[in-house]
Amino acid sequence: MEIARLALQAKIDYLESDSKSQSEAYAAMERRMNEAIDKAIECEEKLRREETLRRKLHNQVQELKGNIRVFCRVRPRQSTSEAEETAKISFPDPENAAEIEVEAEI
């Protein structure tokens, strides 16, 4: 009878220790899961900020490309005279405050 009681007591101790270790393991896993969730939320917020910045910079680049195209656009001459076959391009000289004309054969 004493041996049976000791065996049952050993079994109870084993099960209780197993329960404690499971509780500790569960608490550790829950803590790690909460840390991972917090990190995921932080990463999503950072992603949103970076995507907003990327869109803003992309729009600026597109606007600047358009401004460059407009600044560099060359239009044909307005006159319809057939005698003159050269194209004249004029643009202001910022240093001398004068216009510079470039003539080229078409």
Side-chain angles (χ1 to χ4, degrees), residues 27-50:
M29 285 193 312
E30 187 176 21
R31 185 177 59 251
R32 287 180 20 214
M33 182 186 67
N34 288 334
E35 289 171 359
I37 289 171
D38 292 341
K39 183 71 174 174
I41 291 170
E42 179 183 329
C43 289
E44 286 176 356
E45 289 172 357
K46 184 177 179 183
L47 177 65
R48 270 189 233 103
R49 285 192 310 267
E50 296 299 324

